[in-house]
């Protein structure tokens, strides 16, 4: 159902378009026609364009000269780089906790997010599972008051959410639960290096599946979009 939004709320439009990109309604590489978005949301071109610029800053949208905006289409190399960066940032979140005198509050926060992940998986709620997994590592960053790290990781999570959504929709694996459970046990023993290693290992294991899911989606999208958009 089309959503009507006031023309003065580009941030609302940003959120709405972002949802369409994450859940695959707007596919990787798909042109984002401003006129079509105007009609969809019942607003004018100016706030649509501002919303697209905001999404460009987050990495979800790319502006191509003389061709306009498109949902970002990643290469396999770019995906590998994003996941390597994620692995290092998440590992650092856990390792920096070594300087915290009492890890009890952090361990409890991690357990809450682990439970939220399990509940979301049981209900088949993909977005809730991803959100809880994000909060799992952000809890470690916040436990030391590292606001820049939390901000950087949050931005990265926003950029790769479509990739995580694709994987979660495709796989019913509960490997993430095994990972977070192991990290919690390691943190409870103050073994931050083991915790960091477990996190890295999980991402190394799922990366091939992420690449395969995205490759399949991109190929499907190319076949579906070619008749409609040609070489635009």
């Amino acid at each position: 159902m089309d959503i009507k939004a006031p023309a003065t709320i580009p941030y609302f439009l940003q959120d709405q378009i972002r949802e369409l990109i994450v859940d695959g309604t707007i596919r990787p590489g798909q042109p984002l026609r401003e006129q079509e978005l105007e009609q969809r949301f019942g607003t004018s071109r100016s706030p649509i364009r501002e919303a697209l610029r905001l999404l460009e800053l987050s990495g979800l949208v790319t502006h191509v000269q003389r061709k306009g905006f498109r949902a970002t289409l990643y290469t396999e190399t770019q995906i590998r780089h994003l996941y390597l960066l994620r692995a290092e940032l998440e590992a650092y979140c856990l390792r920096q906790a070594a300087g915290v005198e009492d890890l009890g509050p952090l361990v409890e926060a991690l357990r809450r997010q682990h439970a939220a992940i399990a509940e979301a998986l049981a209900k088949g709620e993909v977005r809730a599972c991803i959100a809880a997994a994000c909060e799992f590592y952000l809890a470690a960053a916040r436990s030391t008051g590292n606001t820049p790290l939390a901000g950087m990781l949050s931005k990265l999570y926003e950029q790769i959410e479509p990739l995580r959504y694709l994987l979660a929709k495709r796989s019913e694996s509960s490997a993430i639960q095994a990972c977070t459970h192991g990290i919690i046990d390691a943190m409870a023993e103050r073994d931050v290096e083991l915790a960091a290693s477990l996190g890295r290992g999980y991402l190394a294991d799922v990366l091939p599946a992420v690449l395969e899911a995205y490759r399949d989606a991109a190929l499907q999208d190319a076949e579906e979009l070619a008749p409609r958009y040609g070489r635009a």
Side-chain angles (χ1 to χ4, degrees):
M1 179 170 57
D2 290 348
I3 300 172
K4 303 300 182 182
T8 55
I9 311 182
Y11 288 100
F12 171 84
L13 296 170
Q14 175 195 14
D15 289 341
Q16 294 300 314
I17 298 170
R18 178 176 176 273
E19 291 297 312
L20 296 175
I21 292 172
V22 170
D23 71 13
T25 301
I26 294 175
R27 305 298 189 89
Q30 180 174 335
L32 297 169
R33 309 294 191 192
E34 293 177 18
Q35 184 175 4
E36 292 177 4
L37 293 172
E38 288 177 50
Q39 295 173 353
R40 183 185 191 102
F41 295 108
T43 186
S44 62
R45 184 160 300 188
S46 179
I48 289 291
R49 188 168 296 168
E50 186 173 350
L52 292 174
R53 289 294 185 190
L54 291 169
L55 288 164
E56 183 182 19
L57 291 176
S58 72
L60 291 177
V61 165
T62 301
H63 185 265
V64 181
Q65 190 173 9
R66 294 189 299 275
K67 294 184 178 181
F69 293 96
R70 295 173 181 263
T72 297
L73 177 64
Y74 297 113
T75 65
E76 290 196 5
T77 297
Q78 289 171 326
I79 293 174
R80 291 182 186 277
H81 288 165
L82 287 168
Y83 267 71
L84 178 60
L85 178 58
R86 176 187 168 188
E88 292 306 313
L89 289 177
E90 290 181 347
Y92 183 62
C93 283
L94 298 170
R95 289 202 314 271
Q96 69 166 352
V100 177
E101 183 175 349
D102 180 11
L103 285 181
L106 172 57
V107 170
E108 286 305 310
L110 296 179
R111 284 177 176 150
R112 286 194 297 272
Q113 296 309 322
H114 174 76
I117 290 170
E119 181 180 358
L121 286 173
K123 294 180 178 179
E125 296 177 350
V126 173
R127 300 296 297 279
C129 178
I130 293 173
C134 292
E135 287 300 319
F136 185 88
Y137 290 96
L138 288 171
R142 292 165 181 155
S143 71
T144 57
N146 196 330
T147 303
L149 176 59
M152 186 179 299
L153 194 54
S154 294
K155 184 173 182 179
L156 177 63
Y157 284 156
E158 182 177 3
Q159 186 173 1
I160 66 173
E161 189 172 5
L163 302 174
R164 299 177 77 165
Y165 188 89
L166 268 177
L167 178 65
K169 290 290 288 184
R170 182 173 179 141
S171 172
E172 296 180 359
S173 173
S174 59
I176 186 172
Q177 290 178 276
C179 173
T180 53
H181 185 272
I183 288 174
I184 290 168
D185 286 347
M187 296 297 284
E189 297 295 325
R190 299 193 68 90
D191 193 341
V192 297
E193 291 301 328
L194 174 59
S197 177
L198 290 171
R200 282 202 187 97
Y202 168 74
L203 291 181
D205 288 342
V206 303
L207 180 55
V210 172
L211 291 169
E212 182 181 1
Y214 194 77
R215 187 185 308 118
D216 290 348
L219 287 173
Q220 178 184 352
D221 298 340
E223 294 173 355
E224 293 178 355
L225 293 172
R228 181 178 179 185
Y229 295 105
R231 296 180 178 274

